[in-house]
Amino acid sequence: VAGIEEGRFAYANVRKVTLLLISTGLAELALIGICIALGLPIPLLAVQILWLNLVTNGIQDVALAFEAGEKGVMKLPPRSPREGFFNRKMIEQVLLSGLSMAAITLIAWIWLLNAGWAVESARSAMLTLFVLIQFYHVLNCRSEVRSALRIPLRNNPVLISGMALVFVVHVLATQIPFMQSLLRTESLPWQYWAIFGAAGVAILVVMEIYKRYSRIRTA
């Protein structure tokens, strides 16, 4: 029984990490694709995408795998052998979260350009926005069904430490001249950190609404 329970915990965590990886990748692809279609400048450079995927998102991916098992997992019926890994719930969450993040960042990109920001400065701001959005989304990914607001932070101290590390590393990347030169970043005024932090809440709200609807649908 203990072995089956641990196996369910492990399977759930693989799904959580996969959801985070694919949805954030979809958001980046959708954003860039839409900008190309609209004739807008590319919002992220290749080195900035690598920074997101390998450093900021990469640290959180690993940390998310240490998420504690959810209560009640042994009360669930066995999965059907015919059910694929990418079932309806996974596909819905990937599409909804990925496209929502793309919409948030697209609106921000257009706003920055219309506000008169230089393209290089706007790209630096977009990189920070993506990092902040990922903070909210990794909390979404801690459970496919439970509200992120109902999962205690103590359930995964590794994730909280990883998020703190990512924040510090990214702040340094916007302040240290060598990292600024490498990633094409600039120091961002504190008020924009606050604006982007508030904008990132949107992805949390969207997924909370989805989870609520999903629970009602399967009740």
PDB file of all heavy atoms in Angstrom, residues 139-159:
ATOM      1  N   LEU A 139       3.227  28.118  -8.477  1.00  0.00           N
ATOM      2  CA  LEU A 139       2.286  27.851  -7.381  1.00  0.00           C
ATOM      3  C   LEU A 139       1.030  27.178  -7.916  1.00  0.00           C
ATOM      4  O   LEU A 139       0.470  26.284  -7.260  1.00  0.00           O
ATOM      5  CB  LEU A 139       1.927  29.161  -6.676  1.00  0.00           C
ATOM      6  CG  LEU A 139       3.084  29.902  -5.979  1.00  0.00           C
ATOM      7  CD1 LEU A 139       2.580  31.204  -5.367  1.00  0.00           C
ATOM      8  CD2 LEU A 139       3.737  29.026  -4.919  1.00  0.00           C
ATOM      9  N   ASN A 140       0.575  27.580  -9.108  1.00  0.00           N
ATOM     10  CA  ASN A 140      -0.555  26.895  -9.749  1.00  0.00           C
ATOM     11  C   ASN A 140      -0.264  25.415  -9.944  1.00  0.00           C
ATOM     12  O   ASN A 140      -1.139  24.570  -9.779  1.00  0.00           O
ATOM     13  CB  ASN A 140      -0.847  27.510 -11.119  1.00  0.00           C
ATOM     14  CG  ASN A 140      -1.505  28.871 -11.045  1.00  0.00           C
ATOM     15  OD1 ASN A 140      -2.254  29.139 -10.127  1.00  0.00           O
ATOM     16  ND2 ASN A 140      -1.214  29.718 -12.018  1.00  0.00           N
ATOM     17  N   CYS A 141       0.966  25.125 -10.341  1.00  0.00           N
ATOM     18  CA  CYS A 141       1.331  23.759 -10.723  1.00  0.00           C
ATOM     19  C   CYS A 141       1.531  22.830  -9.537  1.00  0.00           C
ATOM     20  O   CYS A 141       1.774  21.634  -9.732  1.00  0.00           O
ATOM     21  CB  CYS A 141       2.605  23.785 -11.574  1.00  0.00           C
ATOM     22  SG  CYS A 141       2.418  24.621 -13.164  1.00  0.00           S
ATOM     23  N   ARG A 142       1.432  23.337  -8.326  1.00  0.00           N
ATOM     24  CA  ARG A 142       1.608  22.482  -7.151  1.00  0.00           C
ATOM     25  C   ARG A 142       0.476  21.481  -7.004  1.00  0.00           C
ATOM     26  O   ARG A 142       0.600  20.489  -6.280  1.00  0.00           O
ATOM     27  CB  ARG A 142       1.725  23.337  -5.890  1.00  0.00           C
ATOM     28  CG  ARG A 142       2.970  24.222  -5.863  1.00  0.00           C
ATOM     29  CD  ARG A 142       3.059  25.015  -4.583  1.00  0.00           C
ATOM     30  NE  ARG A 142       3.361  24.133  -3.459  1.00  0.00           N
ATOM     31  CZ  ARG A 142       3.210  24.504  -2.178  1.00  0.00           C
ATOM     32  NH1 ARG A 142       2.717  25.688  -1.887  1.00  0.00           N
ATOM     33  NH2 ARG A 142       3.520  23.657  -1.221  1.00  0.00           N
ATOM     34  N   SER A 143      -0.647  21.737  -7.666  1.00  0.00           N
ATOM     35  CA  SER A 143      -1.761  20.788  -7.663  1.00  0.00           C
ATOM     36  C   SER A 143      -2.597  21.011  -8.909  1.00  0.00           C
ATOM     37  O   SER A 143      -2.784  22.151  -9.330  1.00  0.00           O
ATOM     38  CB  SER A 143      -2.626  20.964  -6.414  1.00  0.00           C
ATOM     39  OG  SER A 143      -3.784  20.136  -6.481  1.00  0.00           O
ATOM     40  N   GLU A 144      -3.101  19.918  -9.464  1.00  0.00           N
ATOM     41  CA  GLU A 144      -3.977  20.029 -10.630  1.00  0.00           C
ATOM     42  C   GLU A 144      -5.417  20.324 -10.239  1.00  0.00           C
ATOM     43  O   GLU A 144      -6.210  20.729 -11.088  1.00  0.00           O
ATOM     44  CB  GLU A 144      -3.935  18.728 -11.445  1.00  0.00           C
ATOM     45  CG  GLU A 144      -2.599  18.468 -12.116  1.00  0.00           C
ATOM     46  CD  GLU A 144      -2.658  17.259 -13.028  1.00  0.00           C
ATOM     47  OE1 GLU A 144      -3.459  17.283 -13.986  1.00  0.00           O
ATOM     48  OE2 GLU A 144      -1.921  16.290 -12.776  1.00  0.00           O
ATOM     49  N   VAL A 145      -5.757  20.116  -8.977  1.00  0.00           N
ATOM     50  CA  VAL A 145      -7.145  20.267  -8.561  1.00  0.00           C
ATOM     51  C   VAL A 145      -7.326  21.226  -7.384  1.00  0.00           C
ATOM     52  O   VAL A 145      -8.325  21.933  -7.305  1.00  0.00           O
ATOM     53  CB  VAL A 145      -7.773  18.895  -8.201  1.00  0.00           C
ATOM     54  CG1 VAL A 145      -7.890  18.030  -9.449  1.00  0.00           C
ATOM     55  CG2 VAL A 145      -6.958  18.182  -7.138  1.00  0.00           C
ATOM     56  N   ARG A 146      -6.380  21.259  -6.461  1.00  0.00           N
ATOM     57  CA  ARG A 146      -6.518  22.098  -5.272  1.00  0.00           C
ATOM     58  C   ARG A 146      -6.098  23.531  -5.555  1.00  0.00           C
ATOM     59  O   ARG A 146      -5.198  23.785  -6.358  1.00  0.00           O
ATOM     60  CB  ARG A 146      -5.672  21.545  -4.117  1.00  0.00           C
ATOM     61  CG  ARG A 146      -6.150  20.223  -3.554  1.00  0.00           C
ATOM     62  CD  ARG A 146      -5.287  19.814  -2.375  1.00  0.00           C
ATOM     63  NE  ARG A 146      -5.438  20.735  -1.243  1.00  0.00           N
ATOM     64  CZ  ARG A 146      -4.594  20.772  -0.211  1.00  0.00           C
ATOM     65  NH1 ARG A 146      -3.542  19.960  -0.186  1.00  0.00           N
ATOM     66  NH2 ARG A 146      -4.801  21.616   0.773  1.00  0.00           N
ATOM     67  N   SER A 147      -6.736  24.458  -4.869  1.00  0.00           N
ATOM     68  CA  SER A 147      -6.372  25.862  -4.988  1.00  0.00           C
ATOM     69  C   SER A 147      -4.952  26.079  -4.484  1.00  0.00           C
ATOM     70  O   SER A 147      -4.538  25.516  -3.450  1.00  0.00           O
ATOM     71  CB  SER A 147      -7.348  26.719  -4.171  1.00  0.00           C
ATOM     72  OG  SER A 147      -6.850  28.029  -4.016  1.00  0.00           O
ATOM     73  N   ALA A 148      -4.198  26.887  -5.201  1.00  0.00           N
ATOM     74  CA  ALA A 148      -2.829  27.211  -4.771  1.00  0.00           C
ATOM     75  C   ALA A 148      -2.837  27.914  -3.419  1.00  0.00           C
ATOM     76  O   ALA A 148      -1.847  27.847  -2.675  1.00  0.00           O
ATOM     77  CB  ALA A 148      -2.164  28.100  -5.823  1.00  0.00           C
ATOM     78  N   LEU A 149      -3.937  28.574  -3.098  1.00  0.00           N
ATOM     79  CA  LEU A 149      -4.037  29.321  -1.848  1.00  0.00           C
ATOM     80  C   LEU A 149      -4.302  28.403  -0.658  1.00  0.00           C
ATOM     81  O   LEU A 149      -4.191  28.843   0.494  1.00  0.00           O
ATOM     82  CB  LEU A 149      -5.167  30.354  -1.950  1.00  0.00           C
ATOM     83  CG  LEU A 149      -5.077  31.326  -3.132  1.00  0.00           C
ATOM     84  CD1 LEU A 149      -6.280  32.261  -3.144  1.00  0.00           C
ATOM     85  CD2 LEU A 149      -3.776  32.120  -3.074  1.00  0.00           C
ATOM     86  N   ARG A 150      -4.624  27.144  -0.930  1.00  0.00           N
ATOM     87  CA  ARG A 150      -4.931  26.201   0.149  1.00  0.00           C
ATOM     88  C   ARG A 150      -3.810  25.193   0.392  1.00  0.00           C
ATOM     89  O   ARG A 150      -3.968  24.293   1.216  1.00  0.00           O
ATOM     90  CB  ARG A 150      -6.240  25.456  -0.160  1.00  0.00           C
ATOM     91  CG  ARG A 150      -7.462  26.355  -0.154  1.00  0.00           C
ATOM     92  CD  ARG A 150      -8.735  25.575  -0.400  1.00  0.00           C
ATOM     93  NE  ARG A 150      -9.923  26.415  -0.302  1.00  0.00           N
ATOM     94  CZ  ARG A 150     -10.560  26.690   0.820  1.00  0.00           C
ATOM     95  NH1 ARG A 150     -10.134  26.176   1.959  1.00  0.00           N
ATOM     96  NH2 ARG A 150     -11.632  27.464   0.837  1.00  0.00           N
ATOM     97  N   ILE A 151      -2.718  25.332  -0.329  1.00  0.00           N
ATOM     98  CA  ILE A 151      -1.588  24.418  -0.144  1.00  0.00           C
ATOM     99  C   ILE A 151      -0.522  25.124   0.689  1.00  0.00           C
ATOM    100  O   ILE A 151       0.030  26.136   0.249  1.00  0.00           O
ATOM    101  CB  ILE A 151      -0.992  23.988  -1.498  1.00  0.00           C
ATOM    102  CG1 ILE A 151      -2.073  23.382  -2.395  1.00  0.00           C
ATOM    103  CG2 ILE A 151       0.131  22.990  -1.281  1.00  0.00           C
ATOM    104  CD1 ILE A 151      -1.586  23.033  -3.780  1.00  0.00           C
ATOM    105  N   PRO A 152      -0.239  24.649   1.902  1.00  0.00           N
ATOM    106  CA  PRO A 152       0.748  25.320   2.759  1.00  0.00           C
ATOM    107  C   PRO A 152       2.135  25.382   2.110  1.00  0.00           C
ATOM    108  O   PRO A 152       2.570  24.435   1.441  1.00  0.00           O
ATOM    109  CB  PRO A 152       0.777  24.435   4.014  1.00  0.00           C
ATOM    110  CG  PRO A 152      -0.509  23.671   3.994  1.00  0.00           C
ATOM    111  CD  PRO A 152      -0.826  23.457   2.539  1.00  0.00           C
ATOM    112  N   LEU A 153       2.801  26.493   2.288  1.00  0.00           N
ATOM    113  CA  LEU A 153       4.148  26.643   1.729  1.00  0.00           C
ATOM    114  C   LEU A 153       5.116  25.633   2.343  1.00  0.00           C
ATOM    115  O   LEU A 153       6.079  25.225   1.688  1.00  0.00           O
ATOM    116  CB  LEU A 153       4.652  28.066   1.972  1.00  0.00           C
ATOM    117  CG  LEU A 153       3.877  29.193   1.276  1.00  0.00           C
ATOM    118  CD1 LEU A 153       4.468  30.547   1.636  1.00  0.00           C
ATOM    119  CD2 LEU A 153       3.867  29.003  -0.232  1.00  0.00           C
ATOM    120  N   ARG A 154       4.842  25.228   3.597  1.00  0.00           N
ATOM    121  CA  ARG A 154       5.747  24.286   4.268  1.00  0.00           C
ATOM    122  C   ARG A 154       5.745  22.911   3.614  1.00  0.00           C
ATOM    123  O   ARG A 154       6.607  22.092   3.903  1.00  0.00           O
ATOM    124  CB  ARG A 154       5.360  24.152   5.739  1.00  0.00           C
ATOM    125  CG  ARG A 154       3.988  23.537   5.972  1.00  0.00           C
ATOM    126  CD  ARG A 154       3.702  23.365   7.456  1.00  0.00           C
ATOM    127  NE  ARG A 154       2.374  22.782   7.689  1.00  0.00           N
ATOM    128  CZ  ARG A 154       1.260  23.479   7.784  1.00  0.00           C
ATOM    129  NH1 ARG A 154       1.320  24.806   7.681  1.00  0.00           N
ATOM    130  NH2 ARG A 154       0.094  22.890   7.999  1.00  0.00           N
ATOM    131  N   ASN A 155       4.773  22.642   2.728  1.00  0.00           N
ATOM    132  CA  ASN A 155       4.739  21.347   2.042  1.00  0.00           C
ATOM    133  C   ASN A 155       5.928  21.164   1.110  1.00  0.00           C
ATOM    134  O   ASN A 155       6.248  20.035   0.736  1.00  0.00           O
ATOM    135  CB  ASN A 155       3.446  21.204   1.233  1.00  0.00           C
ATOM    136  CG  ASN A 155       2.262  20.834   2.105  1.00  0.00           C
ATOM    137  OD1 ASN A 155       2.339  20.894   3.325  1.00  0.00           O
ATOM    138  ND2 ASN A 155       1.158  20.449   1.482  1.00  0.00           N
ATOM    139  N   ASN A 156       6.550  22.252   0.700  1.00  0.00           N
ATOM    140  CA  ASN A 156       7.693  22.141  -0.206  1.00  0.00           C
ATOM    141  C   ASN A 156       8.686  23.274   0.067  1.00  0.00           C
ATOM    142  O   ASN A 156       8.752  24.246  -0.688  1.00  0.00           O
ATOM    143  CB  ASN A 156       7.236  22.180  -1.671  1.00  0.00           C
ATOM    144  CG  ASN A 156       8.346  21.759  -2.620  1.00  0.00           C
ATOM    145  OD1 ASN A 156       9.506  21.650  -2.241  1.00  0.00           O
ATOM    146  ND2 ASN A 156       8.002  21.522  -3.872  1.00  0.00           N
ATOM    147  N   PRO A 157       9.478  23.150   1.133  1.00  0.00           N
ATOM    148  CA  PRO A 157      10.465  24.193   1.432  1.00  0.00           C
ATOM    149  C   PRO A 157      11.526  24.317   0.351  1.00  0.00           C
ATOM    150  O   PRO A 157      12.111  25.391   0.171  1.00  0.00           O
ATOM    151  CB  PRO A 157      11.077  23.728   2.768  1.00  0.00           C
ATOM    152  CG  PRO A 157      10.775  22.259   2.849  1.00  0.00           C
ATOM    153  CD  PRO A 157       9.476  22.076   2.148  1.00  0.00           C
ATOM    154  N   VAL A 158      11.767  23.233  -0.399  1.00  0.00           N
ATOM    155  CA  VAL A 158      12.741  23.296  -1.491  1.00  0.00           C
ATOM    156  C   VAL A 158      12.272  24.265  -2.567  1.00  0.00           C
ATOM    157  O   VAL A 158      13.053  25.052  -3.111  1.00  0.00           O
ATOM    158  CB  VAL A 158      12.984  21.896  -2.095  1.00  0.00           C
ATOM    159  CG1 VAL A 158      13.946  21.981  -3.289  1.00  0.00           C
ATOM    160  CG2 VAL A 158      13.534  20.944  -1.049  1.00  0.00           C
ATOM    161  N   LEU A 159      10.974  24.225  -2.875  1.00  0.00           N
ATOM    162  CA  LEU A 159      10.422  25.122  -3.889  1.00  0.00           C
ATOM    163  C   LEU A 159      10.514  26.578  -3.439  1.00  0.00           C
ATOM    164  O   LEU A 159      10.894  27.457  -4.221  1.00  0.00           O
ATOM    165  CB  LEU A 159       8.969  24.756  -4.182  1.00  0.00           C
ATOM    166  CG  LEU A 159       8.241  25.657  -5.188  1.00  0.00           C
ATOM    167  CD1 LEU A 159       8.934  25.638  -6.540  1.00  0.00           C
ATOM    168  CD2 LEU A 159       6.782  25.250  -5.323  1.00  0.00           C
TER     169      LEU A 159
END
